[in-house]
Amino acid sequence: DVKVTQSSRYLVKRTGEKVFLECVQDMDHENMFWYRQDPGLGLRLIYFSYDVKMKEKGDIPEGYSVSREKKERFSLILESASTNQTSMYLCASSFLAGIAYNEQFFGPGTRLTVL
Amino acid sequence: RKEVEQDPGPFNVPEGATVAFNCTYSNSASQSFFWYRQDCRKEPKLLMSVYSSGNEDGRFTAQLNRASQYISLLIRDSKLSDSATYLCVVNWDNNDMRFGAGTRLTVKP
């Protein structure tokens, strides 16, 4: 079974703090994604990566950065956390498959609260 | 127009009922379509892909209408365990996927 793990299930931080969210997958997937999920808005893509050291902006990259130094690990960084970044953060991975079938496997999510 | 739009529900149905969800998408170039299921406080998981000819998996039937740019999910003989949020997912280009906000289903005894 594919396993995607995230470093924390719940996290509480203060405004202005630097926050690191870690994601690890064990299936040698090329693609990794970071989403945030908010009520009524669904999942919105923050950043994704096709390969090590490669990153692409998603729909809402402002206030976030990412790092992919190893294939299995994709980190999301909030440089200076703000209250509007309080959300559920979901990491996902998938095989590189072009426009073909490319199921995404999700981690359990990190619920971040910024006070 | 939202990129991927779903009726948020909630749909409250009795056990054994048939329920259908629709989802519209705005990108006519989209090629891949999926339904994911998300249980409360859990991560989304793939329920089924949606193929051009329509496809069925047990009690679940998915349909695609390219001309009108919508996909549908039909659940027959609803079970209590079908209670969840159903997410419509459409690929935008290659590996970029867009998610609907989800339709919440509650199946009651």
Side-chain angles (χ1 to χ4, degrees):
Chain A
D1 268 357
V2 175
K3 196 165 184 183
V4 180
T5 57
Q6 295 183 225
S7 49
S8 306
R9 290 301 301 272
Y10 300 94
L11 210 51
V12 179
K13 295 291 181 181
R14 297 203 176 273
T15 301
E17 279 193 81
K18 191 168 186 176
V19 182
F20 293 88
L21 302 182
E22 302 283 337
C23 175
V24 178
Q25 49 93 6
D26 66 359
M27 279 300 290
D28 202 34
H29 285 167
E30 291 85 2
N31 301 332
M32 295 189 76
F33 308 84
W34 274 107
Y35 295 90
R36 63 178 282 176
Q37 186 175 29
D38 301 287
L41 296 178
L43 276 77
R44 291 180 291 166
L45 183 63
I46 303 171
Y47 269 97
F48 59 101
S49 170
Y50 293 150
D51 202 352
V52 174
K53 296 193 186 296
M54 179 275 173
K55 60 186 178 185
E56 292 284 344
K57 292 180 180 179
D59 299 326
I60 51 164
E62 296 79 20
Y64 304 94
S65 61
V66 290
S67 172
R68 193 159 180 206
E69 296 296 318
K70 294 184 177 182
K71 190 175 185 180
E72 68 270 19
R73 188 179 297 268
F74 192 34
S75 302
L76 179 70
I77 303 146
L78 286 65
E79 296 291 341
S80 176
S82 62
T83 55
N84 63 12
Q85 292 178 310
T86 292
S87 187
M88 171 67 85
Y89 289 88
L90 288 159
C91 174
S93 71
S94 72
F95 285 112
L96 184 67
I99 60 172
Y101 174 76
N102 49 2
E103 177 184 0
Q104 293 192 10
F105 296 87
F106 285 85
T110 296
R111 184 166 292 281
L112 172 67
T113 302
V114 182
L115 302 175
Chain B
R1 182 182 177 184
K2 279 187 182 177
E3 293 172 336
V4 181
E5 195 154 8
Q6 297 182 247
D7 182 342
F11 285 67
N12 297 309
V13 302
E15 267 188 296
T18 296
V19 61
F21 310 135
N22 284 331
C23 166
T24 57
Y25 61 94
S26 61
N27 184 0
S28 60
S30 292
Q31 296 289 329
S32 301
F33 309 89
F34 309 90
W35 284 101
Y36 277 68
R37 172 194 167 126
Q38 186 173 23
D39 292 299
C40 189
R41 302 185 193 282
K42 298 281 191 178
E43 72 273 20
K45 292 185 179 178
L46 180 67
L47 177 67
M48 60 196 301
S49 302
V50 186
Y51 302 124
S52 295
S53 54
N55 49 298
E56 193 172 302
D57 182 2
R59 298 181 293 108
F60 298 84
T61 301
Q63 297 277 357
L64 166 65
N65 184 319
R66 284 191 190 275
S68 301
Q69 293 180 208
Y70 78 83
I71 65 172
S72 63
L73 177 68
L74 182 77
I75 305 176
R76 289 182 300 279
D77 189 22
S78 299
K79 312 289 184 194
L80 296 177
S81 58
D82 293 335
S83 297
T85 297
Y86 291 84
L87 306 174
C88 169
V89 185
V90 177
N91 93 289
W92 228 242
D93 60 80
N94 286 343
N95 291 297
D96 183 9
M97 311 287 271
R98 301 294 166 92
F99 287 74
T103 298
R104 189 168 171 188
L105 171 67
T106 301
V107 181
K108 302 191 171 183

